[in-house]
């Protein structure tokens, strides 16, 4: 069984998380996880593309060097802030009444509801549909059914009610632009709350009612689940970095030092710190400044004030959901900010809910990485699990088997007359004067005249260069999605494709 790599990237406000899983047959192993400091992000959205490109390139290079692979594509998370929730319905009236409703039909109904949502004309250039979540299904006789009940029933009519999540189109375009800049293809973009919940929450919690609060660096969100359905989602542009900036301002220290103090000594509920509240932190002065002392209790008071503001905003959204009195499983907190000391007790004091810290549960995946079970890894691990379940295409290959398409195209273009001659001889040999039209099998396998298959390339030892004095007209190029798209878009011959790649290289 061929090995397959799954790569997931979470572009957080203050860190880029990159995870790689290796699938070998039915076994899946998480082989890489690392967090890289992010720059150029704001509230989980890309702000300055070039800064993000620089940090993302470094994250990719680190993974490639350690694993000995070449990453070519990845699944990536969508922003979590500036999300509006709308409703839409989809209906099938002419089903075969004797056939059973399948999961595939449910997915088709969901896709239709998502694709057919009518974004207002004045917002079509600014808004995009991020995702759709089924709320209930109905047949001719039954109403308000959940997905697990509707699958397997028979009915002529199938109707679904969905929540549609709308976000900024520009934010998605920036993700595409950054991915192109680092030479990666975004295989799929995930609306993260659902997939983070799948790896953090237990099925019993989602069934009984639970609120998942994701405490990120620049954004905090809450997802309310009941009867295994995401009922409400909301986010605010405040997170761990706001706590850090409060410490910086109140203590008159650098942002980096404020972050380190928060991580080392930060806690909520200053009155419950016991002996720690009496400790004094000595801050060494620089550039002629005098040394200063900062009480741990005062540090905790600063943190508590900001955390209370964030948590009360989340509790307000839980109230708006209409399910505040149905959360039998209470609140689960995850994300980097979930590790703040006494935060769970603080939420309990403010709300009365029981609270636990949510860590990734890698159901069906063997974890071989340190740090991947931290709450800060929840989002990227959730995307890995989703990509594995959806059988996403391989995202990387072993380096010695990788052939860079642009390099091969340039080599071929230098001797383009030979290729043209060989191509013309092929046409003349067919006797019909027509160019070869790719068959369905050739498209499916990624093989076209003049292109070697991956197996043939492997037998060549992964070499992309041919001796120019050999007199051979044999040339090959890796059939990537990018080149396939160019071919289908209008490059009618391999010669056109090679010339186009040559022009791009020269530019």
């Amino acid at each position: 069984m061929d090995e397959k790599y799954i790569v997931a990237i979470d572009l957080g406000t203050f860190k880029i998380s990159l995870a790689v899983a290796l699938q070998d047959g039915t076994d899946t192993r998480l082989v890489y996880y690392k967090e890289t400091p992010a720059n150029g992000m704001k509230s989980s959205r890309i702000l300055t593309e070039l800064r993000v490109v620089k940090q993302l390139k470094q994250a990719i290079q680190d993974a490639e060097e350690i694993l000995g692979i070449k990453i070519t594509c990845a699944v990536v998370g969508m922003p979590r802030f500036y999300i509006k929730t709308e409703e839409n319905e989809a209906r099938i009236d002419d089903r075969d009444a004797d056939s059973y409703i399948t999961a595939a039909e449910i997915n088709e109904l969901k896709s239709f509801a998502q694709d057919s949502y009518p974004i207002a004309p004045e917002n079509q250039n600014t808004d995009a549909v991020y995702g759709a979540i089924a709320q209930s299904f109905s047949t001719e006789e039954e109403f308000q059914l959940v997905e697990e009940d509707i699958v397997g029933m028979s009915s002529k009519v199938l109707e679904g009610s969905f929540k549609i999540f709308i976000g900024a189109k520009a934010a998605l375009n920036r993700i595409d632009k950054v991915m192109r800049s680092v030479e990666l293809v975004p295989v799929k973009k995930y609306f993260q709350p659902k997939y983070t919940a799948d790896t953090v929450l237990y099925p019993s919690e989602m069934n009984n009612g639970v609120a998942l609060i994701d405490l990120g660096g620049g954004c905090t969100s809450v997802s309310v689940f009941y009867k295994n359905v995401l009922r409400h989602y909301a986010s605010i542009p405040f997170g761990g970095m706001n706590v850090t900036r409060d410490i910086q301002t109140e203590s008159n220290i650098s942002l980096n030092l404020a972050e380190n103090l928060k991580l080392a000594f930060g806690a909520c509920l200053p009155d419950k710190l016991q002996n720690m509240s009496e400790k004094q932190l000595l801050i060494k002065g620089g550039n002629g400044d005098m040394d200063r002392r900062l009480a741990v209790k005062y540090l905790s008071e600063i943190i508590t004030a900001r955390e209370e503001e964030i948590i009360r905003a989340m509790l307000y959204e839980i109230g708006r959901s209409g399910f505040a009195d149905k959360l039998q499983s209470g609140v689960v907190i995850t994300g980097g900010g979930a590790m703040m000391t006494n935060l769970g007790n603080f939420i309990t004091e403010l709300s009365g809910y029981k609270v636990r810290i949510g860590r990734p549960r890698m159901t069906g995946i063997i974890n071989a990485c340190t740090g991947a079970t931290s709450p800060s890894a929840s989002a990227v691990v959730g995307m890995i699990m989703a990509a594995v379940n959806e059988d996403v295409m391989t995202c990387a290959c072993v380096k010695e088997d990788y052939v860079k398409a642009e390099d091969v195209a340039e080599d071929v273009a230098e001797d383009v007359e030979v290729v043209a001659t060989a191509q013309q001889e092929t046409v003349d040999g067919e006797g019909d004067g027509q160019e070869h039209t790719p068959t369905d099998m050739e498209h499916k396998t990624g093989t076209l005249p003049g292109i070697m298959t991956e197996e043939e390339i492997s037998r060549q030892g992964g070499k992309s260069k041919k001796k120019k004095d050999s007199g051979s007209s044999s040339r090959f190029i890796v059939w990537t999605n990018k080149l396939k798209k160019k071919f289908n878009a209008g490059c009618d011959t391999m010669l056109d494709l090679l010339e186009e790649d040559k022009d791009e290289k020269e530019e």
Side-chain angles (χ1 to χ4, degrees):
M1 183 68 70
D2 292 337
E3 294 181 339
K4 182 168 75 169
Y5 289 93
I6 302 296
V7 180
I9 297 173
D10 176 31
L11 298 172
T13 308
F14 296 101
K15 66 176 177 62
I16 295 173
S17 299
L18 191 150
V20 181
L22 175 61
Q23 284 186 286
D24 189 357
T26 58
D27 296 330
T28 303
R29 181 183 298 270
L30 190 69
V31 295
Y32 183 86
Y33 172 77
K34 185 178 180 181
E35 297 177 359
T36 302
N39 196 356
M41 301 286 294
K42 181 180 180 181
S43 301
S44 79
R45 296 176 295 168
I46 297 173
L47 181 65
T48 308
E49 295 99 323
L50 194 57
R51 293 182 181 179
V52 178
V53 167
K54 181 179 179 181
Q55 299 303 112
L56 184 55
K57 274 186 177 179
Q58 185 61 55
I60 294 168
Q61 289 172 2
D62 291 345
E64 291 178 337
E65 183 176 347
I66 291 176
L67 298 177
I69 62 175
K70 176 63 181 178
I71 298 175
T72 56
C73 52
V75 297
V76 61
M78 296 180 181
R80 295 187 294 123
F81 178 60
Y82 182 62
I83 304 296
K84 299 181 294 184
T85 304
E86 305 290 346
E87 295 184 355
N88 198 16
E89 294 183 350
R91 181 183 175 97
I92 301 176
D93 291 308
D94 54 353
R95 288 192 73 259
D96 180 0
D98 294 327
S99 66
Y100 297 118
I101 297 172
T102 64
E105 285 183 287
I106 298 298
N107 290 331
E108 289 177 5
L109 206 65
K110 172 184 171 182
S111 298
F112 179 79
Q114 180 173 329
D115 297 339
S116 65
Y117 178 77
I119 296 177
E122 63 271 18
N123 296 329
Q124 288 183 354
N125 294 328
T126 59
D127 291 351
V129 176
Y130 279 22
I133 301 293
Q135 300 298 297
S136 64
F137 295 92
S138 302
T139 65
E140 294 171 298
E141 300 176 350
E142 303 292 338
F143 302 92
Q144 300 295 313
L145 299 173
V146 295
E147 183 173 343
E148 61 185 19
D149 291 334
I150 196 74
V151 173
M153 294 181 62
S154 60
S155 173
K156 183 178 180 179
V157 175
L158 174 61
E159 183 177 7
S161 175
F162 300 86
K163 283 192 180 295
I164 308 296
F165 299 98
I166 311 294
K169 181 182 288 188
L172 299 184
N173 293 338
R174 289 194 184 106
I175 291 176
D176 290 334
K177 186 175 182 180
V178 165
M179 295 290 278
R180 286 196 301 269
S181 297
V182 297
E183 300 180 348
L184 292 188
V185 176
V187 176
K188 192 166 186 178
K189 302 185 187 75
Y190 284 119
F191 181 57
Q192 292 175 308
K194 175 64 169 64
Y195 302 103
T196 300
D198 287 341
T199 189
V200 167
L201 301 178
Y202 292 96
S204 60
E205 290 176 325
M206 289 192 280
N207 183 59
N208 295 332
V210 66
L212 175 64
I213 298 178
D214 192 344
L215 296 144
C219 175
T220 301
S221 63
V222 61
S223 305
V224 178
F225 289 83
Y226 183 68
K227 297 298 183 183
N228 294 317
V229 174
L230 175 58
R231 304 293 184 175
H232 182 76
Y233 174 81
S235 61
I236 59 173
F238 296 96
M241 186 49 64
N242 296 91
V243 177
T244 302
R245 289 189 177 124
D246 287 350
I247 297 172
Q248 175 195 23
T249 302
E250 294 296 324
S251 305
N252 193 26
I253 57 180
S254 67
L255 187 66
N256 186 53
L257 179 56
E259 177 69 13
N260 291 333
L261 290 178
K262 182 186 74 173
L263 295 176
F265 303 100
C268 295
L269 302 175
D271 295 335
K272 296 186 177 182
L273 294 181
Q274 299 179 352
N275 294 334
M276 277 298 295
S277 63
E278 302 174 0
K279 301 294 183 181
Q280 298 279 330
L281 304 177
L282 178 62
I283 301 176
K284 289 287 187 179
N287 299 324
D289 295 336
M290 297 181 60
D291 295 347
R292 290 177 292 114
R293 293 183 180 275
L294 177 64
V296 172
K297 184 175 182 179
Y298 180 58
L299 177 66
S300 179
E301 290 173 351
I302 298 171
I303 293 172
T304 301
R306 177 62 75 173
E307 292 287 7
E308 180 176 0
E309 179 185 21
I310 293 172
I311 296 306
R312 286 196 182 278
M314 295 294 97
L315 295 176
Y316 170 75
E317 290 296 338
I318 292 174
R320 285 187 63 232
S321 72
F323 293 89
D325 59 344
K326 297 180 180 179
L327 305 185
Q328 297 181 26
S329 297
V331 171
V332 176
I333 55 176
T334 193
M339 297 303 294
M340 177 67 68
T341 302
N342 286 341
L343 180 58
N345 294 332
F346 189 32
I347 296 174
T348 299
E349 282 194 5
L350 293 175
S351 66
Y353 292 122
K354 59 183 179 181
V355 180
R356 75 169 180 89
I357 297 176
R359 302 173 184 274
R361 297 179 303 106
M362 298 181 209
T363 307
I365 297 179
I366 303 171
N367 178 29
C369 304
T370 58
T373 56
S374 168
S376 63
S378 297
V380 73
V381 172
M383 288 190 289
I384 284 284
M385 292 182 62
V388 169
N389 293 334
E390 295 176 9
D391 196 23
V392 169
M393 63 179 288
T394 187
C395 298
C397 61
V398 180
K399 272 192 175 180
E400 53 262 29
D401 295 334
Y402 174 73
V403 182
K404 191 172 182 182
E406 287 79 0
D407 292 342
V408 182
E410 184 180 26
D411 182 48
V412 175
E414 292 176 356
D415 199 13
V416 71
E417 294 83 5
V418 176
V419 179
T421 301
Q423 189 179 48
Q424 186 60 45
E425 290 174 355
T426 302
V427 172
D428 294 342
E430 292 178 354
D432 57 4
Q434 301 294 323
E435 295 174 351
H436 177 80
T437 301
T439 65
D440 292 340
M441 181 58 68
E442 288 172 335
H443 269 303
K444 182 176 180 181
T445 60
T447 305
L448 289 175
I451 304 178
M452 294 183 68
T453 65
E454 293 182 1
E455 183 180 353
E456 291 171 329
I457 293 173
S458 178
R459 288 202 299 266
Q460 292 285 345
K463 297 179 181 180
S464 63
K465 298 295 183 181
K466 298 289 185 179
K467 292 184 179 180
K468 296 182 180 180
D469 57 355
S470 64
S472 172
S473 62
S474 175
R475 292 291 187 266
F476 63 87
I477 184 167
V478 176
W479 188 233
T480 62
N481 284 339
K482 175 181 176 183
L483 297 179
K484 184 182 293 186
K485 191 175 296 183
K486 287 181 180 179
F487 191 96
N488 293 334
C491 292
D492 295 326
T493 69
M494 181 53 59
L495 182 58
D496 294 336
L497 182 63
L498 297 175
E499 289 178 337
E500 183 175 336
D501 271 52
K502 180 182 177 182
D503 293 339
E504 289 189 0
K505 188 70 175 179
E506 291 174 351
E507 289 176 359

